[in-house]
Amino acid sequence: AQKITQTQPGMFVQEKEAVTLDCTYDTSDPSYGLFWYKQPSSGEMIFLIYQGSYDQQNATEGRYSLNFQKARKSANLVISASQLGDSAMYFCAMREDNAGNMLTFGGGTRLMVKP
Amino acid sequence: SAVISQKPSRDICQRGTSLTIQCQVDSQVTMMFWYRQQPGQSLTLIATANQGSEATYESGFVIDKFPISRPNLTFSTLTVSNMSPEDSSIYLCSVDQGAMDEQFFGPGTRLTVL
């Protein structure tokens, strides 16, 4: 079974609107972390936000917030006030603390921001 | 956050040759990781490299094809051996850093094999 699932291969959003990118995960490890990365066409992986499995509050970093629903095993990324520069691939990833510090990635979502 | 550099940033190689990719970090880190991203795909872990020990390879990756060195806590190399067009990918190194064990990535090496 896939450990990280991103069901939206591509999404459009109007500039200045908010958008939610979906991510569900599967683990039996009680201690884990969830990450979101942005990958522009240059290929670099830009760290956006992190959520630990024991964190009580949803993580926020500027225009990025993570809607963490532990019981549903989902960790959706919310981008507020979209900008043209937000157009990129977005990857959700998980680190299971009992499986070393490696990351397992989802298939990614390509976000396109329309002017 | 750690500053990570990779060399080369891109290369075009002939099949049957080998390429060594370097990853340099501006601070000492325990664990370094090498990932591969094939065209249009997500990232897949190749191996974990700890200083002073053999790299640990993931299923589907072998040392003869992807030898890794980790001579110190700030540097690692990945060699792609006997290349074929299927090895055309972006190769990224990453390190654990930060209060929450965030993983940061280098800028990647874009490899094309003809």
mmCIF file of all heavy atoms in Angstrom, chain B residues 38-64:
data_model
loop_
_atom_site.group_PDB
_atom_site.id
_atom_site.type_symbol
_atom_site.label_atom_id
_atom_site.label_comp_id
_atom_site.label_asym_id
_atom_site.label_seq_id
_atom_site.Cartn_x
_atom_site.Cartn_y
_atom_site.Cartn_z
ATOM 1 N N GLN B 38 13.274 10.496 -11.178
ATOM 2 C CA GLN B 38 13.185 10.253 -12.612
ATOM 3 C C GLN B 38 12.188 11.221 -13.240
ATOM 4 O O GLN B 38 11.326 11.770 -12.538
ATOM 5 C CB GLN B 38 12.789 8.796 -12.850
ATOM 6 C CG GLN B 38 13.886 7.825 -12.394
ATOM 7 C CD GLN B 38 13.508 6.372 -12.563
ATOM 8 O OE1 GLN B 38 12.529 5.901 -11.989
ATOM 9 N NE2 GLN B 38 14.292 5.652 -13.350
ATOM 10 N N PRO B 39 12.301 11.456 -14.542
ATOM 11 C CA PRO B 39 11.454 12.474 -15.202
ATOM 12 C C PRO B 39 9.971 12.269 -14.927
ATOM 13 O O PRO B 39 9.433 11.171 -15.127
ATOM 14 C CB PRO B 39 11.796 12.280 -16.686
ATOM 15 C CG PRO B 39 13.185 11.735 -16.684
ATOM 16 C CD PRO B 39 13.272 10.846 -15.479
ATOM 17 N N GLY B 40 9.326 13.312 -14.458
ATOM 18 C CA GLY B 40 7.894 13.269 -14.189
ATOM 19 C C GLY B 40 7.497 12.447 -12.979
ATOM 20 O O GLY B 40 6.301 12.213 -12.763
ATOM 21 N N GLN B 41 8.462 12.011 -12.193
ATOM 22 C CA GLN B 41 8.179 11.146 -11.043
ATOM 23 C C GLN B 41 8.472 11.856 -9.726
ATOM 24 O O GLN B 41 8.989 12.973 -9.693
ATOM 25 C CB GLN B 41 9.023 9.868 -11.134
ATOM 26 C CG GLN B 41 8.841 9.084 -12.412
ATOM 27 C CD GLN B 41 7.452 8.494 -12.530
ATOM 28 O OE1 GLN B 41 6.914 7.931 -11.575
ATOM 29 N NE2 GLN B 41 6.834 8.643 -13.700
ATOM 30 N N SER B 42 8.152 11.159 -8.657
ATOM 31 C CA SER B 42 8.453 11.657 -7.323
ATOM 32 C C SER B 42 9.879 11.250 -6.933
ATOM 33 O O SER B 42 10.608 10.653 -7.731
ATOM 34 C CB SER B 42 7.436 11.106 -6.328
ATOM 35 O OG SER B 42 7.633 11.669 -5.064
ATOM 36 N N LEU B 43 10.258 11.578 -5.722
ATOM 37 C CA LEU B 43 11.601 11.253 -5.242
ATOM 38 C C LEU B 43 11.624 9.862 -4.619
ATOM 39 O O LEU B 43 10.701 9.487 -3.892
ATOM 40 C CB LEU B 43 12.054 12.265 -4.182
ATOM 41 C CG LEU B 43 12.596 13.591 -4.698
ATOM 42 C CD1 LEU B 43 11.485 14.476 -5.203
ATOM 43 C CD2 LEU B 43 13.398 14.291 -3.619
ATOM 44 N N THR B 44 12.702 9.156 -4.877
ATOM 45 C CA THR B 44 12.914 7.831 -4.310
ATOM 46 C C THR B 44 14.273 7.806 -3.626
ATOM 47 O O THR B 44 15.273 8.226 -4.216
ATOM 48 C CB THR B 44 12.881 6.745 -5.402
ATOM 49 O OG1 THR B 44 11.616 6.794 -6.079
ATOM 50 C CG2 THR B 44 13.072 5.366 -4.795
ATOM 51 N N LEU B 45 14.309 7.312 -2.412
ATOM 52 C CA LEU B 45 15.564 7.237 -1.679
ATOM 53 C C LEU B 45 16.458 6.160 -2.272
ATOM 54 O O LEU B 45 16.025 5.021 -2.457
ATOM 55 C CB LEU B 45 15.291 6.922 -0.204
ATOM 56 C CG LEU B 45 16.523 6.846 0.706
ATOM 57 C CD1 LEU B 45 17.155 8.231 0.866
ATOM 58 C CD2 LEU B 45 16.154 6.269 2.071
ATOM 59 N N ILE B 46 17.708 6.534 -2.548
ATOM 60 C CA ILE B 46 18.699 5.564 -3.016
ATOM 61 C C ILE B 46 19.381 4.923 -1.812
ATOM 62 O O ILE B 46 19.438 3.695 -1.697
ATOM 63 C CB ILE B 46 19.767 6.241 -3.909
ATOM 64 C CG1 ILE B 46 19.130 6.847 -5.152
ATOM 65 C CG2 ILE B 46 20.864 5.250 -4.268
ATOM 66 C CD1 ILE B 46 20.081 7.694 -5.984
ATOM 67 N N ALA B 47 19.918 5.772 -0.933
ATOM 68 C CA ALA B 47 20.680 5.248 0.200
ATOM 69 C C ALA B 47 20.845 6.325 1.260
ATOM 70 O O ALA B 47 20.710 7.518 0.997
ATOM 71 C CB ALA B 47 22.047 4.762 -0.255
ATOM 72 N N THR B 48 21.147 5.850 2.456
ATOM 73 C CA THR B 48 21.484 6.706 3.588
ATOM 74 C C THR B 48 22.981 6.568 3.851
ATOM 75 O O THR B 48 23.499 5.434 3.913
ATOM 76 C CB THR B 48 20.702 6.272 4.837
ATOM 77 O OG1 THR B 48 19.308 6.312 4.554
ATOM 78 C CG2 THR B 48 21.025 7.178 6.017
ATOM 79 N N ALA B 49 23.655 7.690 4.005
ATOM 80 C CA ALA B 49 25.116 7.678 4.177
ATOM 81 C C ALA B 49 25.481 8.265 5.533
ATOM 82 O O ALA B 49 25.220 9.439 5.794
ATOM 83 C CB ALA B 49 25.780 8.481 3.059
ATOM 84 N N ASN B 50 26.033 7.451 6.390
ATOM 85 C CA ASN B 50 26.548 7.906 7.683
ATOM 86 C C ASN B 50 28.065 7.891 7.639
ATOM 87 O O ASN B 50 28.672 7.003 7.025
ATOM 88 C CB ASN B 50 26.061 6.990 8.810
ATOM 89 C CG ASN B 50 24.572 7.125 9.050
ATOM 90 O OD1 ASN B 50 23.984 8.156 8.796
ATOM 91 N ND2 ASN B 50 23.954 6.059 9.531
ATOM 92 N N GLN B 51 28.658 8.851 8.310
ATOM 93 C CA GLN B 51 30.109 8.949 8.308
ATOM 94 C C GLN B 51 30.710 7.771 9.048
ATOM 95 O O GLN B 51 30.252 7.421 10.131
ATOM 96 C CB GLN B 51 30.537 10.270 8.941
ATOM 97 C CG GLN B 51 32.011 10.593 8.733
ATOM 98 C CD GLN B 51 32.893 10.202 9.894
ATOM 99 O OE1 GLN B 51 32.425 10.057 11.007
ATOM 100 N NE2 GLN B 51 34.162 10.014 9.634
ATOM 101 N N GLY B 52 31.694 7.166 8.428
ATOM 102 C CA GLY B 52 32.421 6.088 9.078
ATOM 103 C C GLY B 52 31.807 4.717 8.934
ATOM 104 O O GLY B 52 32.290 3.755 9.534
ATOM 105 N N SER B 53 30.749 4.609 8.159
ATOM 106 C CA SER B 53 30.147 3.291 7.972
ATOM 107 C C SER B 53 29.674 3.153 6.526
ATOM 108 O O SER B 53 29.584 4.135 5.790
ATOM 109 C CB SER B 53 28.981 3.070 8.938
ATOM 110 O OG SER B 53 27.952 4.000 8.692
ATOM 111 N N GLU B 54 29.386 1.934 6.149
ATOM 112 C CA GLU B 54 28.882 1.683 4.795
ATOM 113 C C GLU B 54 27.498 2.317 4.634
ATOM 114 O O GLU B 54 26.706 2.348 5.574
ATOM 115 C CB GLU B 54 28.759 0.177 4.570
ATOM 116 C CG GLU B 54 30.076 -0.567 4.525
ATOM 117 C CD GLU B 54 30.779 -0.424 3.195
ATOM 118 O OE1 GLU B 54 30.098 -0.133 2.191
ATOM 119 O OE2 GLU B 54 32.005 -0.604 3.148
ATOM 120 N N ALA B 55 27.245 2.785 3.445
ATOM 121 C CA ALA B 55 25.917 3.332 3.163
ATOM 122 C C ALA B 55 24.870 2.217 3.209
ATOM 123 O O ALA B 55 25.173 1.055 2.927
ATOM 124 C CB ALA B 55 25.917 3.998 1.796
ATOM 125 N N THR B 56 23.665 2.593 3.568
ATOM 126 C CA THR B 56 22.542 1.647 3.598
ATOM 127 C C THR B 56 21.670 1.894 2.387
ATOM 128 O O THR B 56 21.108 2.985 2.243
ATOM 129 C CB THR B 56 21.716 1.837 4.887
ATOM 130 O OG1 THR B 56 22.569 1.675 6.019
ATOM 131 C CG2 THR B 56 20.582 0.826 4.943
ATOM 132 N N TYR B 57 21.529 0.892 1.543
ATOM 133 C CA TYR B 57 20.820 1.041 0.274
ATOM 134 C C TYR B 57 19.377 0.554 0.384
ATOM 135 O O TYR B 57 19.091 -0.431 1.074
ATOM 136 C CB TYR B 57 21.543 0.272 -0.835
ATOM 137 C CG TYR B 57 22.847 0.918 -1.237
ATOM 138 C CD1 TYR B 57 24.012 0.673 -0.510
ATOM 139 C CD2 TYR B 57 22.908 1.783 -2.308
ATOM 140 C CE1 TYR B 57 25.200 1.290 -0.849
ATOM 141 C CE2 TYR B 57 24.096 2.398 -2.666
ATOM 142 C CZ TYR B 57 25.238 2.151 -1.931
ATOM 143 O OH TYR B 57 26.417 2.767 -2.276
ATOM 144 N N GLU B 58 18.507 1.243 -0.335
ATOM 145 C CA GLU B 58 17.100 0.845 -0.385
ATOM 146 C C GLU B 58 16.922 -0.253 -1.433
ATOM 147 O O GLU B 58 17.781 -0.470 -2.303
ATOM 148 C CB GLU B 58 16.231 2.054 -0.720
ATOM 149 C CG GLU B 58 16.277 3.133 0.347
ATOM 150 C CD GLU B 58 15.810 2.645 1.699
ATOM 151 O OE1 GLU B 58 14.665 2.119 1.775
ATOM 152 O OE2 GLU B 58 16.568 2.789 2.688
ATOM 153 N N SER B 59 15.789 -0.907 -1.323
ATOM 154 C CA SER B 59 15.476 -1.975 -2.260
ATOM 155 C C SER B 59 15.521 -1.448 -3.686
ATOM 156 O O SER B 59 14.953 -0.390 -3.986
ATOM 157 C CB SER B 59 14.084 -2.542 -1.947
ATOM 158 O OG SER B 59 13.707 -3.500 -2.891
ATOM 159 N N GLY B 60 16.198 -2.165 -4.546
ATOM 160 C CA GLY B 60 16.300 -1.770 -5.944
ATOM 161 C C GLY B 60 17.560 -0.993 -6.286
ATOM 162 O O GLY B 60 17.800 -0.714 -7.461
ATOM 163 N N PHE B 61 18.327 -0.665 -5.287
ATOM 164 C CA PHE B 61 19.587 0.072 -5.488
ATOM 165 C C PHE B 61 20.729 -0.728 -4.887
ATOM 166 O O PHE B 61 20.608 -1.243 -3.780
ATOM 167 C CB PHE B 61 19.513 1.456 -4.844
ATOM 168 C CG PHE B 61 18.448 2.340 -5.417
ATOM 169 C CD1 PHE B 61 17.204 2.440 -4.807
ATOM 170 C CD2 PHE B 61 18.676 3.063 -6.576
ATOM 171 C CE1 PHE B 61 16.212 3.247 -5.333
ATOM 172 C CE2 PHE B 61 17.691 3.873 -7.107
ATOM 173 C CZ PHE B 61 16.459 3.967 -6.487
ATOM 174 N N VAL B 62 21.840 -0.831 -5.634
ATOM 175 C CA VAL B 62 22.966 -1.633 -5.176
ATOM 176 C C VAL B 62 24.247 -0.826 -5.220
ATOM 177 O O VAL B 62 24.390 0.107 -6.025
ATOM 178 C CB VAL B 62 23.127 -2.922 -6.015
ATOM 179 C CG1 VAL B 62 21.918 -3.832 -5.807
ATOM 180 C CG2 VAL B 62 23.305 -2.598 -7.494
ATOM 181 N N ILE B 63 25.177 -1.223 -4.381
ATOM 182 C CA ILE B 63 26.416 -0.485 -4.224
ATOM 183 C C ILE B 63 27.250 -0.474 -5.494
ATOM 184 O O ILE B 63 27.928 0.509 -5.791
ATOM 185 C CB ILE B 63 27.221 -1.045 -3.026
ATOM 186 C CG1 ILE B 63 28.414 -0.157 -2.700
ATOM 187 C CG2 ILE B 63 27.646 -2.478 -3.291
ATOM 188 C CD1 ILE B 63 29.123 -0.515 -1.408
ATOM 189 N N ASP B 64 27.212 -1.542 -6.269
ATOM 190 C CA ASP B 64 28.019 -1.586 -7.491
ATOM 191 C C ASP B 64 27.567 -0.540 -8.493
ATOM 192 O O ASP B 64 28.370 -0.022 -9.266
ATOM 193 C CB ASP B 64 27.933 -2.975 -8.129
ATOM 194 C CG ASP B 64 28.665 -4.025 -7.323
ATOM 195 O OD1 ASP B 64 29.431 -3.637 -6.415
ATOM 196 O OD2 ASP B 64 28.464 -5.226 -7.582
#
